[in-house]
Every structure is written in C-alpha cells, then in structure tokens.
Amino acid sequence: MACPTPVSSSSTSQQSTRNEHGTFDDAMHEQIRSTHVPDGRVVDVTPVLQVTHNVLRHIIPNINLSMNGHIDASDDQTNLSAVDGELDDALHKICCELSCKCSRGGDAHATTMAIFNMLSSYSWGAKVVLTLAAFAVNFGEFWLIAQLCTSNSLAKSVALLKQPDILEHSQILKSHFDALSKLINAMVDVTKCIVELTELPSKYISIDEPPLSTAMAHIYTATYWIISSVVVCAGQITSLKGMRHEFTTLTLEAWELSSLTHKVSSIHEHLQSQLRLCYECIDEKKLMGAFEHFKRTIETTQVDNLKILQNIFGKEEKLLNPDRAEVSINVLRKKYVLLLISDLDISQEEIRVLEVVYKERVSSGRKYEIIWLPIVDRTTWNDGYQTKFSTLQSIMSWYTVSHRVAIEPAVIKYIREEWGFVKKPIAVTLNPQGKVLCPNALNMIWIWGNSAFPFSSEKEESFWKDEPWTLDLLLARLEPNLPTWVHEYPHITLIYMCISINMLNLFLVLCCYNQVSQLKVVCFYGGVKMEWIESFTTTTKEVAKAFGIGIEMVYVGKKNARERVQKITGLIKEKQLSHAWEDDNVWFFWNLLESMLYSKTQHGRTIENDVIKQEVKTMLEYDSSKNGWALFYTGSDEMVKANGENVLSTMESFNEWEKLAKQMGFIPVLRNKLEGVIQHHHCTRLILPGNGGRIPERVQCAKCDHPMELNFLYRCGE
C-alpha cells in the first residue's frame, strides 16, 4: 500500500525553508560551517557525479545537462569499482534519510542539517555529489517503475502498491515535472561548480587568497541550498507516490519549485563568475611560470638556437619553408635567424620591400633566414582573419608558421613586454647560438640593407658613428635618377658653351661653368592638398626658369595616406606637374625616416647632439602638419627645406630676392628667406605611431628646442 502522506507536507517543508533560510545571517553561516569537520581524505567523486548525471538525463527527456539530451552508450559505462566503500555506505544512509524523513513530512531544514552532520568528514564537493546521487537513486526508482508499468507486469504490480499511474496523468503533471526538471538542471550545474572549485590545483591558486577564498565563502550557502533543494524535491516525489487523484496542490508546488530554481540559478551564476576569476588566476600563474622559464632559457647561453626555437613553438615544431613545404625547425639549427613579428595588419609594401633585401642576401654573401611569427588574438579568430593570414603567408618568400596558434602564449607575453612589440612589425635577431643580437633589426635593415648584417645593436651603433647627413643616406635606394640629375645639367652646359665660343674665352667659360654647376636643383615635396601642389610646382618651375637653373621635382606623398596619395599621384602624372613615386617607394621613404628616428633614439641620441636626428624629426614634423612641404637639394649637398605655406609664399615673392640670389646663390638666399619667414610662425607638430618604438615621453621641438606637449591623436590609417 502506498504510504499515507498529508497533501500539504511538501508545501509545509518548502514554506519552512523559505521562512527560515531565505536569507543567511552570520549565525546560519556558522551553523553550517560547524558541521564541516574534514578528515583530510581525498575522495574522487567525479565517477559518482557522472553516473548521477546519466541517471537524471534518462529520467526526464527534456532535461539538458550539457549533452543536449543525446544518450551515448559510453555514458552508462562509467566504472565505479574504484569508488571508496565508505561512499556507498554514505550514499545508502542519505537515501534512507530522504525516504524516511520525507515520507513522514519532516521539516526540510532539519533534514538538511541532518545530512550535513552525516557528511561532516567529506569535502564540500563530496557533500553535494553524494546528496544529489541519493536523490537520483530515489527518483530513478520512482521513474523506472512509472515507465515500465505499462509493459512489465512486475513493474505494474509494484506501481499498484507503491505509486499512482503517473503516465496516465501526464498532462496534469506536465507543469509540475517541467518545474522539477529545471530545478534538477540548476542543481547539477551548481554541483559541478562546487566540485570544480574544490578541486582547483593548489599549486596555482591558494584557498586563503582571493579569488578562491571569496568563492569558498559562498560555497557554504551553495551547498546548503543544493541539499535543501534535494530534500524538497524528494518530498514532492514522495507526495506523488501517496497521491491517487488528489492533484489540487500541484500548481502551488510547481510555483515553489520555480521559486527555488530561481534561487539556485542565481547561486550558479555567482559561482560561475567566481570560477572564471579562479581560472583566470590559474592561467595567469601558469603563464607567468612559462614566461619565466622562457626568459631564463633565452637569456642563458645555449649550444645552438634550437632550444630557443623549440620554446617559441612549443609542441608545434613544424614550419612552412619558402616553397610552402612543411619542414622541421631543425633546418634552422645554427643559423642566423630573424624573427619577423607582426599582427595581420602588416602592409604588403613592407613585405615587398623586405623581400628585396631578403633575396639580395645571397648575392651579398649574408647567410640568414627569416621566420614570420604572427601575433593574433585566439579568442576573436574568424574566417576573415584566416583568409588574411593565408593571403599574407602566400606572398612571403621566407619561413612562416604552419598554424596561426603555433606560438606559445608565454612567448607572446615575452615578445610584448621584453621586445616591446605592440603593433608595428619588429625583427628580432638570433645568432646561431640563439643569443638575441638586437630586439628590432628592422630599423637598420631599412636604412642600410644587408650591409648591416649580422644586424646587431653593436653594428647599428658603429654605422651611426661616422654617418653624415646627406640626401644619399635618405634616397640612395629610392631615387636611382638622383646622381644623373645633379650632374647632367652642368655637363650639357659646358659642351654647349665650348662649341659656341672660341678658346680665347675658355677662362670665362670655366668661371661660368663653376657658377652654373651649382645651380642644378632637385626638389622633393609632399602633402595631399592638390591646390597647393599645383600652385607650388607651377610657381617653382617659373622661378627656376627665370633664374636660369635646371630643376627636377619629385612628389613623395604623405605618411599613412595611401589612397589619397594614389589619387594625387595620378593627377600629377596626368597634368605632368612633376615626377611621382609609386606606392612602395612612398611607404619606404616615410618608414625610413621613422626608422632613423627610432634607431637614433634607441642609441641615446638627442636633438642637441645629433644633426641627423634633428633633420629627420623636422621632416616628420612637416608631414604631420596639414600643409605640404618641400626640400631643395644640389649636387654639392646643399639642402634647404620648409613647410608648404612658407615655401610657396617665398617662391611667389621671388622678384623681391632674385637680384640677391644671382649674387649669393639660389640655395643660400632661399634658406635666408625661409628662415626669416619661419621666425614669424609657430612651430610645427610631430605625429608618430604610438607603437613604433620606445620613444621617450619628453620630446623637444626640432625648431625651437622647447619641450613638445604630449597629446593623444586617433587617426584612420586610410
């Protein structure tokens, strides 16, 4: 016969729980903690939780416990043979406690505390797992009989004696079991969180320090509500066994289950948040450990570079060679290696220019290899990034990683913190023994090419010692016509004059030649204001014609304005205003200027003690302004430069200084006129990539030597 149970027992139990324990005060916390007297045993409750999980998933089809309701045959084959015998005993005692107390309509809180005392020697994780497992046993038996009673005579007979025909009243009970399934789902989620928190590795996280100490402070409450929820659920199942057709209280009980589900779900969200913080702490500790290991390795003298490379790639020890064949990193053993480090925004111009240097290494006898190390965010990776990665990989003629996540996270941390990588590409030089010769060799590669091999900081310093400021330093690899331009005009003039006059005037011819040979001028200019460009080029050509000198003008674009420069270059060529560089040369010119500035700064040079740095910084300041700029150069290495507004106004007033220029020379007078104009104008500004190099916070103006103000500017690169 079914055990007679008062219809209101479940309601009474739940009401008691709500009234007494809706909120927890210090006394309640202390009461729960006082029951916790662990004996130090380490109990693996994972197999028990897995079987409990499977039982509950089989009971209610719409329950979703991380596997979307799919039943895998392997789920039911969990081996419990290694489970401690004392666990079986504890499980049996809890089953009896739930059956006896709930069948008699006992107080839910009293039953909950009785289970706490029964499990005092177990961990918090074991307490909730064993209690949930006991409920799964009772609920499993109840549901098994309900399912089999229509097809199995034994089950039908037991059902007649022990419980009503649940399936017959499935529609009436639907809302009740929906509420029950949601609560069970929430209970399992919280149980998993508690087990995870109690099994976190003490090697990386301390129970006495946040965030784990904070999480543990909430485990007492969470454990109480899981055990209390089990007691309430068991009470309602017992009530169903005692009912025949008295279903009048089911709606109220379903509401109570929903209320309890809300409470347990809130606990789950909070524990999940704490668990995430714990895992972040663990990951950070692991990362720091790996970081320190890599730091020690790379700063320790090695027999060869192989150990360093193995640490960089971790388990991924395969690369793609220039022919896109997969090879072992052993092919780079005892070789000079440049680690080209960038994100996926490295420009194709940069790749093409570097490729020229890389291919020239063979003819110049420089034996080194390049590996591209892309620094990417694994958490935001998508198909678009994959396409970008594959495209960049396909146009590189050197070694690349075989997979986007090949680089160890600790190595990425080292690259950012020790080598200063942010966004602008860098190239770290490793010698055959794996020693870092230079944390960024790209600066010297852009300036001197393969002649700077082996790309060490010492080599860079030695180059700067005797390097004068000449236009050849800046333009030798960019403008092949420069030597011809600065020499051809005097030669033609001399030939013409020798044919036109007799030998009696030779002395006068030579004197005239010496004067004219200094009047061949090359003008490089930049900016993106087409109106200024047209006015400047037209006026300057008129001045050159009036003065009787030859002039070549070259448009060199503007930094970080690729699309606008392309458009203007097309107009310049269409209107035949001057020569104009293509994309790669424009990019290289401005990158070269920045590289010179960064290189000088890294070697401790300042504006006061370095002419080259002063000149480079001035040109970058001109480009950072809204107007254009121009630089005039002669074969005698005389140079004068100014911003666009000043140089245009000076050219337009040529009639005022034409006579003086014919007496003293074009460049000297132009310089004096421009300096006079500049004195009446405010200084320029300087815009540099915030991640291009380790620039000191204090930067002096290249014009007046006063400290420049530091501001933040966000500007689109297009």
Side-chain angles (χ1 to χ4, degrees), residues 10 80 267 308 312 322 552:
S10 177
L80 295 180
I267 292 173
I308 303 297
I312 290 175
E552 296 288 351

mmCIF file of all heavy atoms in Angstrom, residues 10 80 267 308 312 322 552:
data_model
loop_
_atom_site.group_PDB
_atom_site.id
_atom_site.type_symbol
_atom_site.label_atom_id
_atom_site.label_comp_id
_atom_site.label_asym_id
_atom_site.label_seq_id
_atom_site.Cartn_x
_atom_site.Cartn_y
_atom_site.Cartn_z
ATOM 1 N N SER A 10 4.633 18.630 1.465
ATOM 2 C CA SER A 10 5.658 19.272 0.636
ATOM 3 C C SER A 10 5.597 20.766 0.781
ATOM 4 O O SER A 10 6.598 21.446 0.884
ATOM 5 C CB SER A 10 5.462 18.868 -0.825
ATOM 6 O OG SER A 10 6.398 19.525 -1.638
ATOM 7 N N LEU A 80 32.690 2.361 -11.499
ATOM 8 C CA LEU A 80 32.640 2.786 -10.101
ATOM 9 C C LEU A 80 33.366 1.809 -9.175
ATOM 10 O O LEU A 80 33.247 1.891 -7.964
ATOM 11 C CB LEU A 80 31.183 2.922 -9.642
ATOM 12 C CG LEU A 80 30.345 4.015 -10.324
ATOM 13 C CD1 LEU A 80 28.934 4.015 -9.745
ATOM 14 C CD2 LEU A 80 30.977 5.376 -10.145
ATOM 15 N N ILE A 267 22.594 31.401 -7.613
ATOM 16 C CA ILE A 267 23.822 30.895 -6.985
ATOM 17 C C ILE A 267 24.786 30.386 -8.053
ATOM 18 O O ILE A 267 25.999 30.630 -7.990
ATOM 19 C CB ILE A 267 23.484 29.774 -5.978
ATOM 20 C CG1 ILE A 267 22.722 30.358 -4.786
ATOM 21 C CG2 ILE A 267 24.744 29.060 -5.509
ATOM 22 C CD1 ILE A 267 22.190 29.304 -3.826
ATOM 23 N N ILE A 308 65.879 27.459 -28.172
ATOM 24 C CA ILE A 308 65.104 28.703 -28.178
ATOM 25 C C ILE A 308 63.916 28.566 -29.123
ATOM 26 O O ILE A 308 62.778 28.913 -28.783
ATOM 27 C CB ILE A 308 65.980 29.895 -28.608
ATOM 28 C CG1 ILE A 308 67.195 30.031 -27.694
ATOM 29 C CG2 ILE A 308 65.161 31.177 -28.624
ATOM 30 C CD1 ILE A 308 66.874 30.321 -26.266
ATOM 31 N N ILE A 312 59.792 28.630 -28.439
ATOM 32 C CA ILE A 312 58.885 29.571 -29.101
ATOM 33 C C ILE A 312 57.652 28.854 -29.631
ATOM 34 O O ILE A 312 56.521 29.334 -29.483
ATOM 35 C CB ILE A 312 59.608 30.302 -30.250
ATOM 36 C CG1 ILE A 312 60.650 31.274 -29.678
ATOM 37 C CG2 ILE A 312 58.613 31.053 -31.141
ATOM 38 C CD1 ILE A 312 61.504 31.946 -30.726
ATOM 39 N N PRO A 322 60.041 28.429 -47.690
ATOM 40 C CA PRO A 322 59.648 29.351 -48.774
ATOM 41 C C PRO A 322 58.862 28.692 -49.907
ATOM 42 O O PRO A 322 58.114 29.372 -50.614
ATOM 43 C CB PRO A 322 60.998 29.886 -49.265
ATOM 44 C CG PRO A 322 61.871 29.838 -48.050
ATOM 45 C CD PRO A 322 61.470 28.584 -47.330
ATOM 46 N N GLU A 552 64.513 69.457 -61.092
ATOM 47 C CA GLU A 552 63.745 68.211 -61.148
ATOM 48 C C GLU A 552 62.902 68.154 -59.877
ATOM 49 O O GLU A 552 63.417 68.348 -58.773
ATOM 50 C CB GLU A 552 64.663 66.989 -61.209
ATOM 51 C CG GLU A 552 65.521 66.909 -62.453
ATOM 52 C CD GLU A 552 64.738 66.558 -63.709
ATOM 53 O OE1 GLU A 552 63.543 66.201 -63.582
ATOM 54 O OE2 GLU A 552 65.308 66.643 -64.805
#
